């Protein structure tokens, strides 16, 4: 239940207000409207966890004096919310807009709840949405502290329940919560960075493996230099992808959750580090490792020790292990693929040189514009759907050419 207090002294603080009003019951939140850092607008909202606490505060403090100012207390009821927002807007608050009458467009059965009271539990949320068909509630925890921070995801069984939930304007434990549609986190985009090897890493890996110098490798007169770097990078990425899949990490089916007992550590000088009290699995590239600990506390300690620490002027990057779904999405292939995002300085021979390192081609067609430049995509015909699938799996994750990632997809039938 929420209260609004008016005619407060202009220099009173939230701390002062909490000291005065917390004796009447548990306060969930306080919002003091301000003109600037030193002066407030004389209006404050207080959320109580129970209605009787709010009633007692009104009974004791309505028309009482605070720093020689007579204050007034009122219940904030649903029917009075529109009037309050109009008052607030007239006082210059741009953050409180009267959007209750806007139509709700139903986009998803999953909703994102914010501004939840810190003491709320799943049962409280179920009671709040008692007239809705709730399928699941997930209380979100802060990744660093592991504590609930007022955010949750609720999934309904049908769109009608989602609509009811979006239109609800009641208060929960003294606080008016915010409900919006939930967008699935872009896990694939986030965690592909763990596979990406920048130019420096690729060059260093080639030099170490082939026992050659940078000068010998980066011969600018070599017309095949671009495709050579591209093929080596793709090989490193594919090796790493298989390494992760062998350890039950599928980057195409991430859940957005993390295993806080396992760390992914990336650094080109990884073997020079001394890891303790954990099981270690090192990727073939020697630039990525999985560290498995017996407890989350031990993993968090190493996370804090290693994150952004520098080894030979190169930073260490540490992430908690992303959790994958088990299912695999099958894609239908013909013997044709399309390659997009081709850099304009690349030509047909370079594309062909990259692909024929793994399979044989029947034909490659690079459409051109009137000025003779190609359009940035090409069609490739292979001998079989199996070859098309092999190209997609090997090159489709992270193949770069002249700094641009090639987008490889099955061609439509």
């Amino acid at each position: 239940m929420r209260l609004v207090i008016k005619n407060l002294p202009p220099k009173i603080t939230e701390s002062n207000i909490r000291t005065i009003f917390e004796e009447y019951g548990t306060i969930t939140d306080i919002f003091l409207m301000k003109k600037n850092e030193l002066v407030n607008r004389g209006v404050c909202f207080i959320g109580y966890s129970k209605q009787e606490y709010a009633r007692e505060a009104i009974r004791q403090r309505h028309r009482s004096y605070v720093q020689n100012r007579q204050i007034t207390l009122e219940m904030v009821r649903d029917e009075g919310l529109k009037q309050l927002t109009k008052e607030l807007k007239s006082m210059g608050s741009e953050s409180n807009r009267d959007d209750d009458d806007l139509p709700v467009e139903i986009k998803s059965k999953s909703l994102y709840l914010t501004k939840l009271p810190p003491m709320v539990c799943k049962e409280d949320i179920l009671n709040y949405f008692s007239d809705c068909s709730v399928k699941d509630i997930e209380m979100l925890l802060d990744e660093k502290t592991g504590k609930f921070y007022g955010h949750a995801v609720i999934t309904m069984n049908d769109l009608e329940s989602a609509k009811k939930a979006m239109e609800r304007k009641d208060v929960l434990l003294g606080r008016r919560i915010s409900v919006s549609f939930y967008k699935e986190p872009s896990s694939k985009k986030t965690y592909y960075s763990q596979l990406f090897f920048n130019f420096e890493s690729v060059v260093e890996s080639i030099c170490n493996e082939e026992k050659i110098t940078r000068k010998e490798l980066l011969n600018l007169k070599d017309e095949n230099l671009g495709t050579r770097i591209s093929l080596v990078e793709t090989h490193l990425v594919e090796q790493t992808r298989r390494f992760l899949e062998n350890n039950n990490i599928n980057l195409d089916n991430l859940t957005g959750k993390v295993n806080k007992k396992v760390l992914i550590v990336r650094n080109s000088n990884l073997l020079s580090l001394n890891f303790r009290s954990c099981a270690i699995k090192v990727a073939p590239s020697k630039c990525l490792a999985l560290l498995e600990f017996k407890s989350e506390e031990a993993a968090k300690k190493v996370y804090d020790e290693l994150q952004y620490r520098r080894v030979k002027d190169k930073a260490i990057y540490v992430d908690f292990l992303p959790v994958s779904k088990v299912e695999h999405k099958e894609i239908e292939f013909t013997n044709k693929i399309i390659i997009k995002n081709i850099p304009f300085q690349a030509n047909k021979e370079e594309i062909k040189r990259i692909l024929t390192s793994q399979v044989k081609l029947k034909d490659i067609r690079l459409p051109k514009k009137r000025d003779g430049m190609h359009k940035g995509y090409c069609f490739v015909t292979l001998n079989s759907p199996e070859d098309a699938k092999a190209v997609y799996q090997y090159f489709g994750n992270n193949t770069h050419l002249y700094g641009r990632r090639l987008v490889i997809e099955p061609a439509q039938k």
Side-chain angles (χ1 to χ4, degrees), residues 207-251:
C207 292
N208 291 337
E209 192 169 328
E210 301 295 330
K211 294 182 172 53
I212 58 176
T213 64
R214 289 173 62 93
K215 188 174 181 179
E216 291 172 319
L217 174 66
L218 301 178
N219 180 4
L220 300 181
K221 295 181 181 179
D222 183 0
E223 62 180 16
N224 298 326
L225 178 61
T227 54
R228 284 173 59 200
I229 296 294
S230 177
L231 285 170
V232 173
E233 180 184 10
T234 300
H235 178 65
L236 289 172
V237 169
E238 178 62 15
Q239 278 188 322
T240 306
R241 185 181 67 81
R242 291 182 182 178
F243 165 77
L244 293 176
E245 286 186 353
N246 290 337
N247 287 278
N248 302 314
I249 306 166
N250 190 317
L251 294 179

Side-chain angles (χ1 to χ4, degrees), residues 387-409:
D387 284 349
K389 185 176 182 180
V391 169
Y392 174 81
Q393 290 179 335
Y394 188 84
F395 295 103
N397 288 304
N398 224 337
T399 297
H400 288 76
L401 181 59
Y402 296 116
R404 297 183 72 175
R405 187 173 79 87
L406 301 180
V407 178
I408 301 175
E409 299 174 351

Side-chain angles (χ1 to χ4, degrees), residues 320-339:
F320 290 107
L321 180 74
V323 177
S324 309
K325 294 179 182 177
V326 177
E327 66 265 17
H328 295 273
K329 193 174 182 181
E330 287 296 327
I331 301 174
E332 291 188 14
F333 288 89
T334 64
N335 66 330
K336 294 182 179 181
I337 60 171
I338 181 172
I339 303 178

